[in-house]
Amino acid sequence: AQKVTQAQTEISVVEKEDVTLDCVYETRDTTYYLFWYKQPPSGELVFLIRRNSFDEQNEISGRYSWNFQKSTSSFNFTITASQVVDSAVYFCALSEVDSGNTPLVFGKGTRLSVIA
Amino acid sequence: KAGVTQTPRYLIKTRGQQVTLSCSPISGHRSVSWYQQTPGQGLQFLFEYFSETQRNKGNFPGRFSGRQFSNSRSEMNVSTLELGDSALYLCASSFAGGSSGANVLTFGAGSRLTVL
């Protein structure tokens, strides 16, 4: 069965520090997708990135970067030079493809607080 | 382009009552998924509707039900409310289906239900 683990429940950093949010997943499928979502205090989850299981290239988008490693079943998310506006709960999620139509499964989330 | 709209945003009910929550997806999106978010259990999948048919269902009791209309709008109903049903209920829409692996879900801001 698919599972996503975000071991860090809460992280607090000072503005301009770099921070990495960890995500470890479990799946028996060969084909799957990994996602990161951000949930600000307003409540709605905001999509950040999607990565398929065949694409292990790291991705950088501005201050955000993602490191996907199939060998360790991890999909970590790094924020460089954090800002107060980055304060939110971040969720990693997994969607399997080979197993048929399975819904998105989320980790428990990591609450990031960036202090000015 | 309007996002996913959920109503009501906040509501308070007492044990034993029932509640109906509404979700209007992004125009053109045919799939609507519902998730329950609680501090203890995190984000848990309730069900997904696609073209008025329930395509997937999570592990929730029969008190939780839903439906989708021909215009893709969806409602979920919880009957005989229990204290444990207090949660943020999130609706998400996608074009082809939230359980189709690659599809990105766009979430609404949620309906926060408090059961007293």
Side-chain angles (χ1 to χ4, degrees):
Chain A
Q2 55 184 353
K3 184 179 178 182
V4 177
T5 301
Q6 295 179 256
Q8 304 151 307
T9 306
E10 293 190 38
I11 299 176
S12 184
V13 298
V14 176
E15 202 171 22
K16 298 184 182 177
E17 286 186 348
D18 298 347
V19 59
T20 296
L21 309 182
D22 298 332
C23 172
V24 174
Y25 62 92
E26 294 177 28
T27 179
R28 293 180 181 178
D29 283 20
T30 301
T31 306
Y32 52 89
Y33 286 84
L34 295 164
F35 301 78
W36 275 94
Y37 282 85
K38 171 183 180 180
Q39 187 177 39
S42 58
E44 63 188 279
L45 273 75
V46 177
F47 167 74
L48 295 177
I49 190 173
R50 174 188 61 197
R51 172 70 74 222
N52 74 56
S53 52
F54 297 106
D55 183 3
E56 283 195 76
Q57 274 191 331
N58 291 335
E59 176 146 346
I60 299 174
S61 177
R63 296 184 297 106
Y64 295 172
S65 62
W66 290 268
N67 181 4
F68 175 32
Q69 291 193 337
K70 286 178 73 171
S71 60
T72 55
S73 296
S74 65
F75 186 41
N76 297 336
F77 173 31
T78 297
I79 302 174
T80 302
S82 60
Q83 300 177 359
V84 173
V85 293
D86 296 327
S87 298
V89 182
Y90 292 86
F91 292 93
C92 180
L94 166 69
S95 182
E96 296 176 326
V97 176
D98 300 337
S99 300
N101 290 333
T102 60
L104 202 57
V105 170
F106 289 86
K108 289 292 181 70
T110 298
R111 181 178 298 278
L112 173 65
S113 297
V114 181
I115 305 166
Chain B
K1 188 176 183 181
V4 177
T5 304
Q6 291 189 246
T7 56
R9 288 294 314 279
Y10 302 91
L11 65 166
I12 300 174
K13 294 285 187 179
T14 57
R15 277 181 300 174
Q17 287 187 311
Q18 74 162 8
V19 65
T20 298
L21 308 178
S22 179
C23 173
S24 293
I26 288 175
S27 178
H29 283 191
R30 297 163 62 191
S31 166
V32 172
S33 299
W34 289 89
Y35 283 80
Q36 180 196 64
Q37 185 178 21
T38 60
Q41 299 299 316
L43 282 155
Q44 293 187 286
F45 172 76
L46 281 159
F47 26 66
E48 180 203 359
Y49 288 87
F50 183 82
S51 293
E52 301 181 65
T53 301
Q54 187 180 84
R55 190 157 68 175
N56 233 319
K57 188 177 190 305
N59 188 26
F60 278 81
R63 301 185 296 108
F64 291 81
S65 63
R67 58 178 175 169
Q68 186 179 35
F69 302 95
S70 58
N71 61 357
S72 292
R73 190 177 70 85
S74 176
E75 288 181 349
M76 68 162 282
N77 183 277
V78 187
S79 63
T80 318
L81 284 167
E82 301 176 359
L83 295 179
D85 297 332
S86 294
L88 180 65
Y89 289 88
L90 290 162
C91 166
S93 75
S94 64
F95 179 72
S99 56
S100 298
N103 291 291
V104 173
L105 299 183
T106 301
F107 283 82
S111 293
R112 184 166 295 281
L113 170 65
T114 301
V115 182
L116 302 177

